[in-house]
Amino acid sequence: MAAAGACLFPSGLSPALRRRGGAPAAASSSQNPILRSSLTSRCAVSEEQASSASPGTTIPPSRPVSFGEYGRRYEKGASDRSSSTPFMDDVELESGRERLRRFFDQAKDLTRSDGGPPRWFSPLECGSRLEKSPLLLYLPGIDGTGAGLTSHHKKLGKVFDIWCLHIPVMDRTSFPDLVKMVERTVKSENCRSPNRPIYLVGESLGGCLALAVAARNSDIDLLLILANPATSFDKSQIQALLPFLELMPEQLHLSYPFILSLMAGDPSRTFKASTEKGLTPQQTAGELSKNILTMSSYISVLADILPKETLLWKLQMLKSASAYPNLRIHAVKAQTLLLTSGKDWLLPSQAEGARLNEALQRSSIRKFDACGHFLFLEDGIDLITIIKGVGFYRCGKGLDYVSDYLPPTPAEYRNVNESNRWFKEITGPVMLSTLEDGRIIRGLDGIPSKGPVLYVGYHMLLGLELVPLVSGVLNQRNIHLRGIAHPMLFEKYRKGQTLDPQFFDTFRMMGAVPVSGTNLFKLFSSKSHILLYPGGMREALHRKGEEYKLFWPEQSEFVRMAVKFGAKIVPFGTIGEDDFGEVFFDYDDQMKIPYFKNWIHQLTEDNGKVRSNAAGEVANQDVHLPWIRPKVPGRFYFCFGKPIETAGRKQELKDREKCHELYLQVKSEVESCMAYLREKRESDPYRSIFSRWMYRATHNSASEIPTFEP
C-alpha cells in the first residue's frame, strides 16, 4: 500500500534490514518525536510490517516508496522488448518551461516534510520497467530535493530502477556523512544483486558525491553520470560572494533570482524557440513576458527549498565536497560519463570536464555548448538519448551490444532522420530490389521481412551510403539494420583525433556493434537484419582510382555462420561516390610525408587494427582520412540482389570448398549489382542535382523523384 504524497525512507538504511523491519540507530528518527510523526504519515507500510507495528512507530518500507500522483506502480514483467516494431515506446519531451514547472511542483511537495535524515524515494511515474533493469541512484545538486530528473523519469523508468536522494531543507548532514549514507545503500544493493550494475547520476554537488562513493568502492560495479560536477568549486566566482551573502538580510537575498536564472538557462534559447515556431514579434514578446511572470512566481518556492541558512550551508559544504573527490580521483575505477555545459555561470564546467576526462581511467565526455548549470532542466536535453548514443547502458557485468541494446524511440529516430534530411535531399537515393522471379523493381519489396538476414555489400568512400541505406530500409520496410562496425566507433576519444566524440553517437544509437565473431553470432541468434561490409575500412578509405573495387578477404568470413542459422544472404551494390567527390590525396601520398605518417601511426595504434593477422590488401587497415575534391552532386543508387537461401544447406556447406564457392557467389552478385547500376544510371534524367531541384520546384515536395526504368 502507498500513502499519498512523497513517501520517503532514510538513505542510510540497509535494504536487507528494511525487509526485516529493523532500523539502525544512525538512521532512526526516534530521537525526534515531531520528525517521527511527520515521517510516519508519509511512508507506506507493508502488510506484514503493519500487522506488527505499534501506534506511533515509524517502520521503514522494504523498498524505496513510490512518489506522488504522477504514474502507476511497477508491475514486474509488464515491459516487453520483443515487439514487432523496431522502436522503443515513445515518451513526449517537455519544453523547458514545463520542465521547470514540474520541478518546482514536485520540489514543493517533497519539502512539505522537511524533518528527518536524508532518504530515498522512487518516482511513481516511472511506470513499468524491464525485469533486469539496473539500479539508478540520483544524487541531487544544491537544491537537495531529488526532483532534478523529474522530466526524465518516464523514459528512464522504462529501463532503470530509479531511486532519488532527498535531503530535507533543515538537514545538516556533513558531506562525509552523506558519502557514507550513499555508500551503505550501494553496498547493500550490490550484496543483494551482485551482478546488477549501479548507476550514480550526480549533478553539481551530487557529482562530487558520486565520485567520492566510487573512489571508496572500486570493487563494486558502478557507472557514473556526472552533470557539471562541482569538483571545480574552488575556481567558482561565487566563493568571493559568500561573505556578502552571509551579511545580506533574507528579505533582500539576491541569490534567489540568480539561482532561478541558472535554472531557466539561456533566455536567447527561449527567443530562438519562439521564432522557430513562426510566432510574430508580438507573440514572441508575449511568450517572453509570460516566462518572466512564471519565473517570478517560483522565487517563493525557491526560498522554501533553499532558505538563507540552508543555502549558506550548502555553499560551505561545496568547499569540502569539491576537495574530497579531488584528493581521491586516482582511486575511481568506475566507468564515467561526463556531461558539461558551455554556459554554466556557476562553475567552469567544460574546463573541469576536460580535466576529469584526462584524470579518470574509463571516461567519456559530451559537451552541451548552449546549456546552463542545471542541465537536466534544459529544453531538449534527454538523458536516456544521451546514454543510448554513448553506448552507456548495460544490465550485467559487461556490455552486451545485442541484449543490452536500447532501440531508438520514434521521436529519437525522427530527430536523426531530420538532422540528415539535407544529405538525403542532396543524394536523392534510388533503391531497387530483386524479386524471387529475378525481376528488378523500384522499392524494397524484394528483401526478406523476417530475420535472420545478412546484407553484404560494397562500402562506399567514407561510408557515405550508410545514412540513406539504413534510413531507407527503415522507412520503407520498417526493418532496423544492425551494422557491424570498426571498434574505433566505440573507443574513448583521445587527443589528436580529428572527429568529435559525439560524431559516432548516431551510429551507436542506431545499433552498430563492434566487429567480432561473438557479436555476429548473437545478432544471428536474435534473428536480426545485419549489415556487413567484408571490405571494411580498406574499402571505405580507398586510394585514388579504386572506386567500386571490392577489397574482400581471400577466405570467407561469414558464410559458415550464416548457414548455421539458416540466414538469408542479400548481396547489394551501391554507387554514386564518383559523382560527389574524387580522392586526390590518399594513403600512399600521406605516408610519404613524415607529419602525416606519424599521425596515421598514432591513430592506428590508438584505435587498433582489424584483421591484423590477415594477408593481402584487406590486412592494411591503417586509420587515415583521404582528402577529397568535391564535385557537383549526382545521385546514389542501391540495388539489392536476389536473396540467397542457406536454410537446409548445413550438410552441403560443411565442405570448405563449397563455403568458398558460396562466398565467391555473393561477391560476384555484389559486383553484378554495381555493374547494373553504373550502366542504368546513364539513362536517369534526374541524375543531376539541378534536374532534381527543378522537379521539386514543379511537383509536390513529398512526391518521389523518378529515375530510369529497371
Side-chain angles (χ1 to χ4, degrees), residues 27 88 99 143 148 181 224 242 254 428 436 460 473 488 514 701:
M88 286 183 66
R99 290 183 180 204
D143 64 280
M181 287 180 175
L224 312 184
L242 281 176
L254 300 178
E436 288 292 332
M460 278 209 296
V473 173
M488 67 181 295
S701 61

Side-chain angles (χ1 to χ4, degrees), residues 236-362:
S236 173
Q237 297 178 354
I238 202 169
Q239 283 209 92
L241 299 177
L242 281 176
F244 177 69
L245 294 176
E246 292 174 355
L247 296 174
M248 185 183 297
E250 188 156 4
Q251 295 80 358
L252 299 175
H253 226 264
L254 300 178
S255 57
Y256 298 129
F258 173 67
I259 295 173
L260 201 57
S261 68
L262 293 176
M263 291 181 166
D266 188 356
S268 65
R269 295 188 71 192
T270 305
F271 179 79
K272 182 180 179 182
S274 299
T275 54
E276 287 176 350
K277 293 177 184 177
L279 301 181
T280 64
Q282 292 82 1
Q283 290 172 322
T284 301
E287 285 286 310
L288 294 175
S289 299
K290 186 176 180 180
N291 282 347
I292 293 172
L293 290 173
T294 304
M295 294 293 291
S296 62
S297 67
Y298 294 145
I299 291 181
S300 61
V301 182
L302 190 57
D304 291 337
I305 297 171
L306 289 172
K308 177 184 173 182
E309 295 82 2
T310 299
L311 176 60
L312 292 173
W313 165 262
K314 293 287 180 64
L315 292 176
Q316 292 290 346
M317 183 195 291
L318 278 175
K319 290 184 178 180
S320 61
S322 62
Y324 192 100
N326 278 326
L327 294 173
R328 299 163 176 81
I329 198 74
H330 61 280
V332 178
K333 304 293 192 299
Q335 193 177 347
T336 305
L337 173 58
L338 297 159
L339 310 177
T340 63
S341 297
K343 294 187 176 179
D344 186 347
W345 310 130
L346 184 64
L347 300 167
S349 290
Q350 290 207 338
E352 180 65 6
R355 183 188 73 85
L356 290 174
N357 193 38
E358 286 294 318
L360 294 168
Q361 301 174 31
R362 303 166 60 201

Side-chain angles (χ1 to χ4, degrees), residues 452-641:
V453 181
L454 182 66
Y455 301 80
V456 185
Y458 168 70
H459 213 356
M460 278 209 296
L461 182 64
L462 301 180
L464 293 173
E465 81 285 353
L466 282 170
V467 169
L469 172 61
V470 174
S471 61
V473 173
L474 188 52
N475 292 339
Q476 290 191 36
R477 292 296 307 275
N478 203 35
I479 290 173
H480 187 186
L481 296 181
R482 301 289 306 275
I484 303 295
H486 194 281
M488 67 181 295
L489 270 68
F490 308 89
E491 297 293 330
K492 177 181 175 180
Y493 175 77
R494 294 174 176 85
K495 282 185 177 180
Q497 289 183 213
T498 56
L499 297 176
D500 186 272
Q502 293 180 220
F503 180 82
F504 296 120
D505 285 3
T506 298
F507 294 92
R508 287 185 287 262
M509 178 179 288
M510 294 305 296
V513 302
V515 57
S516 76
T518 300
N519 286 334
L520 188 59
F521 182 92
K522 290 178 179 178
L523 288 172
F524 275 127
S525 299
S526 62
K527 298 184 178 180
S528 300
H529 289 252
I530 309 161
L531 179 61
L532 176 68
Y533 293 105
M537 184 178 290
R538 177 62 183 88
E539 212 164 76
L541 304 180
H542 60 65
R543 323 302 196 233
K544 289 180 285 190
E546 292 181 343
E547 61 270 7
Y548 309 135
K549 180 180 178 181
L550 300 186
F551 290 92
W552 287 23
E554 294 179 3
Q555 300 298 321
S556 59
E557 293 185 326
F558 56 84
V559 172
R560 284 182 175 274
M561 197 174 293
V563 172
K564 176 180 176 63
F565 289 93
K568 294 182 175 70
I569 300 175
V570 179
F572 71 93
T574 175
I575 66 168
E577 66 172 68
D578 54 335
D579 276 354
F580 280 79
E582 178 184 7
V583 177
F584 72 92
F585 187 57
D586 64 10
Y587 172 81
D588 295 331
D589 296 327
Q590 294 177 29
M591 289 296 284
K592 295 174 184 176
I593 302 174
Y595 171 80
F596 289 105
K597 183 178 181 179
N598 293 335
W599 182 69
I600 290 172
H601 284 165
Q602 185 62 51
L603 282 179
T604 304
E605 183 180 340
D606 288 344
N607 291 288
K609 282 190 175 185
V610 178
R611 299 168 173 156
S612 57
N613 296 324
E617 286 281 355
V618 76
N620 188 351
Q621 295 285 319
D622 284 355
V623 183
H624 71 289
L625 193 64
W627 293 18
I628 302 168
R629 182 184 296 112
K631 296 182 179 180
V632 175
R635 198 171 193 182
F636 280 0
Y637 301 86
F638 298 84
C639 182
F640 293 84

Side-chain angles (χ1 to χ4, degrees), residues 136-150:
L136 186 152
L137 303 179
Y138 171 64
L139 310 175
I142 60 171
D143 64 280
T145 61
L149 280 181
T150 181

